[in-house]
Amino acid sequence: MILAKRPEIDRFLSRPDPDVRAAVIHGKDRSGVAERAALLCKAITPDLNDPFNVTLLTDTDIDADDGRLEDALTALSMIGGRRLVRVRLGGEKASTDKALAAALKLHAEGGFNPDAMFVIEAGALGRDSALRKAAEASKAAVGIACYEDETGDVARMTREALAAEKVSLSAEALDRFVGRLPRERGLMRQEIERLILYIGPGSGVQLGLDDLEAHLGVEPDASLQDAALQAFGGKPAPAQAGLRRALAEGESAVMAVRQAALHLGKLRRINILQSAGAGAKEAAKAAGVFWKQEAEMLRQARAWRLDDLDRVLESVNTADLATRTTGMPEALIAELLLLEIAARARRMGL
């Protein structure tokens, strides 16, 4: 079956129907897919690291061992409770799509352990995907497509996150902040968290428009903004110089990667708005583009299509994680990311 409306999706993720044995959550916004999948999985078993009741597989695992998925779906719980089999797909491969579709169909019919929950996280699955068709056709499975959040959903998410920390924005400030947010859910969450830290968690403060502008004004330094602008414009040397200047001025590599993500989000927003019929200047303004950068951003948006931006987003997310968790040289990670972006841009003619 298909779940499409937000209330029914939220209801299912928090309280999954025990008669449903499988769920396919897919979409271009991989952060949104991962977030929804995590909610569902935690509703099945609170401890996602439980080695007895949880099995996590990737498409590489399945391709390397044909029987591994079947073994996981057949296994019984050793300590009681519902088993969870979670599959994360990193790419699009027809053979894997068909194999998972066949396993899902059999599992939904009770062919494996009927008490196991089978959750699959995937990128955007087209209507010709066998996996998507299998999930949507079965009464014991659900298909959930993750689309870009609407402005109203983003505003609601922001209000709820702020309220949980006992802070808030005025109506004007909320409109301004939501308009500046990237539409990739993981990046969106990061910016909301940064705002909460700026206001002061638990302070009870409501931020007005002027105070919010002060916060937005201290977003990553102009050198980082320029580095991202140059990279997406296909100019590796100026991008590299801007990054090194920013790091010398005390900015962090983490913020450099985040600035690249924000720039990417603006290009995505311009693309989406223009495809919906908005004029170029109107789209740039709605995406939060500084007026002095409008001409260059629109030039870039004409070359960077959504598919290209989605591919770069994978690199941005990988770099963001690496700068915060691996202990590798942060500056080198950020520099390699900008050079990769600039190289892609040059191949597209920028």
Side-chain angles (χ1 to χ4, degrees):
M1 71 183 89
I2 301 173
L3 294 185
K5 296 180 180 178
R6 186 174 62 81
E8 64 182 7
I9 292 174
D10 291 345
R11 204 161 38 242
F12 174 77
L13 295 178
S14 60
R15 296 185 303 278
D17 185 335
D19 293 330
V20 172
R21 298 191 180 108
V24 176
I25 305 175
H26 62 99
K28 286 186 176 181
D29 181 0
R30 296 305 293 259
S31 294
V33 169
E35 183 175 308
R36 289 175 175 90
L39 286 172
L40 174 59
C41 291
K42 286 178 181 178
I44 301 300
T45 175
D47 183 5
L48 300 184
N49 295 313
D50 181 349
F52 298 104
N53 277 346
V54 178
T55 299
L56 174 61
L57 300 173
T58 65
D59 40 3
T60 303
D61 296 325
I62 295 169
D63 290 341
D65 184 350
D66 293 340
R68 194 164 178 185
L69 178 60
E70 182 175 338
D71 290 344
L73 289 170
T74 306
L76 301 175
S77 173
M78 301 280 293
I79 57 174
R82 195 174 186 189
R83 285 255 317 146
L84 171 66
V85 179
R86 188 176 184 182
V87 173
R88 287 179 178 153
L89 298 180
E92 299 177 14
K93 193 173 179 181
S95 59
T96 307
D97 184 82
K98 290 179 180 177
L100 285 170
L104 182 144
K105 184 175 184 297
L106 185 56
H107 181 58
E109 294 170 350
F112 296 121
N113 174 8
D115 290 328
M117 182 65 177
F118 187 19
V119 178
I120 301 170
E121 305 168 41
L125 298 177
R127 295 194 177 278
D128 58 344
S129 162
L131 177 58
R132 178 175 175 176
K133 288 178 180 178
E136 294 178 353
S138 174
K139 291 182 179 179
V142 298
I144 301 173
C146 297
Y147 299 108
E148 184 180 79
D149 290 300
E150 298 290 338
T151 300
D153 293 329
V154 177
R156 175 186 56 81
M157 187 190 308
T158 303
R159 281 196 302 269
E160 290 175 354
L162 295 177
E165 299 294 340
K166 297 181 173 55
V167 294
S168 61
L169 294 174
S170 68
E172 283 186 331
L174 180 64
D175 287 345
R176 175 65 171 151
F177 182 70
V178 169
R180 289 286 294 270
L181 283 176
R183 285 308 190 258
E184 198 274 321
R185 188 169 278 215
L187 302 176
M188 195 186 304
R189 291 285 191 196
Q190 291 173 7
E191 291 307 305
I192 294 172
E193 289 169 6
R194 201 163 65 84
L195 174 64
I196 290 170
L197 290 174
Y198 175 76
I199 300 175
S203 65
V205 170
Q206 181 180 82
L207 213 63
L209 184 58
D210 290 342
D211 290 329
L212 175 67
E213 290 291 355
H215 165 68
L216 296 177
V218 295
E219 284 187 288
D221 186 85
S223 296
L224 291 183
Q225 295 182 20
D226 183 62
L229 184 72
Q230 300 297 342
F232 279 91
K235 299 174 182 176
Q240 200 171 31
L243 173 64
R244 291 178 178 177
R245 184 168 61 250
L247 295 177
E249 292 167 354
E251 291 291 348
S252 71
V254 173
M255 291 308 298
V257 174
R258 202 158 295 174
Q259 185 60 45
L262 290 170
H263 191 94
L264 185 152
K266 290 176 182 178
L267 290 174
R268 273 185 61 88
R269 187 70 176 152
I270 292 171
N271 263 281
I272 290 168
L273 289 171
Q274 286 192 293
S275 65
K281 290 183 177 294
E282 178 188 358
K285 183 177 180 181
V289 173
F290 184 47
W291 66 271
K292 288 185 178 180
Q293 296 179 346
E294 183 182 280
E296 173 61 14
M297 286 292 286
L298 291 176
R299 182 183 79 92
Q300 292 182 16
R302 285 192 291 272
W304 284 97
R305 311 317 301 166
L306 289 175
D307 287 346
D308 300 315
L309 293 171
D310 287 338
R311 282 190 283 272
V312 170
L313 181 59
E314 294 286 339
S315 298
V316 171
N317 287 339
T318 299
D320 181 55
L321 184 63
T323 56
R324 292 183 287 112
T325 61
T326 64
M328 292 173 62
E330 295 180 357
L332 179 60
I333 293 169
E335 191 166 321
L336 289 173
L337 173 66
L338 294 184
L339 291 176
E340 177 191 336
I341 293 170
R344 286 177 180 270
R346 294 188 75 171
R347 288 198 295 271
M348 290 188 293
L350 283 165

